[in-house]
Amino acid sequence: MNTSPLDMTHTADTTPRVWIGCLACYNDGRLVGDWFDAATADEVTTYDVHGAHSRADSHDELWCFDHENIPVRGEMDPLTAAAWGRVYTEVGPEHWPALCAWVESEGTGDLPSIPDFEDRYQGHWESFEDYARQLADDIGLLAGVPEEIIANYFDWDSWTRDLAFDNTTCDDPEGGVYVFRVF
């Protein structure tokens, strides 16, 4: 996985969680449920939601009515929530904000392909220009070219603008940008 100087900046808890409730109770106008880690949403039982209450035997449908730290809108079933939880576990909390930004920018709401994310993610940077300058250094774009030639003849703004056609950025609400290669 690509990393950059800002990849470890997020400190908030980003663990995906879901509010799982009893669908029969909801349809009867009662909210019966609780918050669970998304990774184990498919293991939640009606007894976890109802406790030893007698309805636990007869109310067998559960639904995720709300969620936190999952980059899609709307309700979902517990199996889908668990799939998001597994994606979180695979990517890890340090890259989860980047993956969420990428999923939101794609706009499909589908579960992401982790290999695609890993191939495209170029890191978290203060700006796209910082990424472009580091990339130029990494690939040796101007290796061996005297500074006076670079200063007089190389147009960083044009090179960065052209590079932007092969990449996309997503703003990080905490500062900086996530950079993703476009295929």
Side-chain angles (χ1 to χ4, degrees):
M1 170 107 21
N2 297 312
T3 59
S4 62
L6 299 179
D7 273 340
M8 300 297 191
T9 60
H10 293 275
T11 57
D13 182 15
T14 58
T15 306
R17 296 172 11 103
V18 290
W19 194 90
I20 300 177
C22 171
L23 194 54
C25 289
Y26 177 79
N27 289 335
D28 286 341
R30 294 185 325 276
L31 287 177
V32 176
D34 206 349
W35 285 96
F36 298 90
D37 282 345
T40 58
D42 57 347
E43 299 170 11
V44 174
T45 68
T46 55
Y47 287 97
D48 296 325
V49 172
H50 284 281
H53 193 274
S54 62
R55 288 200 170 117
D57 288 330
S58 62
H59 290 188
D60 58 353
E61 285 189 82
L62 300 177
W63 194 251
C64 301
F65 292 101
D66 197 4
H67 56 79
E68 296 177 340
N69 300 319
I70 297 177
V72 295
R73 296 185 193 277
E75 301 172 357
M76 64 185 69
D77 63 87
L79 292 173
T80 301
W84 278 106
R86 286 189 297 277
V87 168
Y88 174 81
T89 300
E90 188 172 342
V91 170
E94 64 276 0
H95 293 296
W96 185 250
L99 182 124
C100 288
W102 183 59
V103 167
E104 289 170 357
S105 74
E106 296 286 310
T108 65
D110 295 335
L111 283 166
S113 162
I114 302 303
D116 285 352
F117 169 73
E118 290 172 342
D119 286 344
R120 294 178 182 196
Y121 184 51
Q122 301 302 301
H124 183 260
W125 301 87
E126 282 292 330
S127 67
F128 185 74
E129 292 75 22
D130 288 346
Y131 165 73
R133 288 190 179 266
Q134 184 62 50
L135 179 63
D137 286 347
D138 291 349
I139 65 173
L141 180 68
L142 299 172
V145 178
E147 278 297 318
E148 63 194 44
I149 300 294
I150 294 171
N152 290 327
Y153 297 104
F154 189 76
D155 186 347
W156 279 106
D157 291 337
S158 292
W159 189 77
T160 301
R161 187 175 50 251
D162 290 348
L163 184 63
F165 288 115
D166 297 327
N167 295 274
T168 187
T169 62
C170 298
D171 290 334
D172 176 359
E174 294 185 22
V177 295
Y178 300 107
V179 177
F180 301 97
R181 251 193 330 224
V182 177
F183 290 109

